């Protein structure tokens, strides 16, 4: 899990502010799943949901406290990695209000990989999250190859 605990250009889990925020949010919690739930809920509540047109870096998201699903995802991944919880970002589509939309979320290793959506405060994320790529923004650019070329038919929904 070394790669999923390491800092990267967009997920700066070694940033002092990211590490301090993770410690503050988790407090004395020692259970990884409970700590991850605290971090997910904090990101959901602390980050203003606004569409952005920039490439997010976790340290900037923590400072600015605003962004879309990409900002939520990189911040949660950084906070979890800083807390020792392996994390990776994912992207694909999600079903919302009768349609599918591009979306990014996080997978955390909690005895198995668990999809978590800090933008929608879903822990775990629901089954309408359809993953096409995992990894940082360089991997997410691969989605451009399929945008506008796929169709999804919902066969049953309740």
């Amino acid at each position: 899990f070394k790669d999923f605990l390491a800092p990267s250009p967009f997920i700066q889990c070694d940033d002092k502010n990211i590490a301090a925020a993770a410690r503050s949010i988790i407090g004395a919690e020692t259970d990884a799943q409970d700590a991850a739930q605290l971090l997910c809920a904090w990101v959901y509540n602390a980050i203003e949901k606004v569409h952005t047109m920039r490439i997010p870096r976790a340290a900037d998201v923590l400072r600015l406290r605003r962004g879309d699903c990409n900002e939520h995802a990189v911040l949660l991944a950084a906070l979890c990695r800083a807390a020792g919880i392996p994390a990776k970002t994912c992207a694909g589509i999600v079903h919302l209000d009768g349609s599918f939309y591009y979306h990014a979320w996080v997978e955390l290793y909690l005895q198995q990989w668990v999809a978590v959506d800090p933008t929608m405060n879903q822990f775990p994320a629901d089954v309408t999250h359809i993953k096409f790529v995992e990894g940082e923004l360089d991997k997410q650019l691969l989605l451009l190859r399929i945008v506008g070329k796929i169709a999804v038919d919902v066969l049953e929904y309740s």
Side-chain angles (χ1 to χ4, degrees):
F1 298 107
K2 184 177 89 171
D3 290 344
F4 305 113
L5 290 167
S8 71
F10 301 105
I11 301 174
Q12 307 103 331
C13 56
D14 59 346
D15 177 87
K16 65 179 179 159
N17 294 324
I18 296 279
R23 284 190 305 273
S24 173
I25 295 161
I26 292 171
E29 185 57 64
T30 58
D31 180 78
Q33 181 169 320
D34 291 343
Q37 285 180 306
L38 290 169
L39 293 167
C40 183
W42 186 88
V43 170
Y44 173 77
N45 289 311
I47 306 304
E48 178 186 1
K49 283 113 186 91
V50 295
H51 181 70
T52 62
M53 296 299 287
R54 59 188 167 91
I55 298 173
R57 296 177 62 238
D60 295 335
V61 178
L62 181 64
R63 183 174 48 82
L64 298 171
R65 305 276 176 109
R66 56 190 322 224
D68 58 27
C69 59
N70 290 303
E71 282 79 6
H72 285 72
V74 296
L75 181 56
L76 180 60
L79 290 167
C80 286
R81 288 182 185 185
I85 302 166
K88 58 186 171 183
T89 55
C90 303
I93 57 176
V94 66
H95 191 261
L96 182 66
D97 298 328
S99 296
F100 281 92
Y101 298 95
Y102 163 81
H103 195 56
W105 60 92
V106 178
E107 287 184 355
L108 306 175
Y109 193 80
L110 303 165
Q111 305 303 325
Q112 64 182 358
W113 287 106
V114 176
V116 175
D117 188 338
T119 310
M120 298 180 182
N121 198 25
Q122 293 183 355
F123 194 106
D126 68 27
V127 298
T128 70
H129 290 70
I130 301 171
K131 178 173 68 171
F132 293 132
V133 297
E134 59 184 49
E136 295 199 33
L137 293 177
D138 59 327
K139 301 289 187 210
Q140 293 181 22
L141 290 175
L142 296 173
L143 287 176
L144 294 176
R145 294 180 185 172
I146 61 171
V147 169
K149 296 179 183 175
I150 85 170
V152 178
D153 290 324
V154 177
L155 300 177
E156 185 175 326
Y157 184 76
S158 54

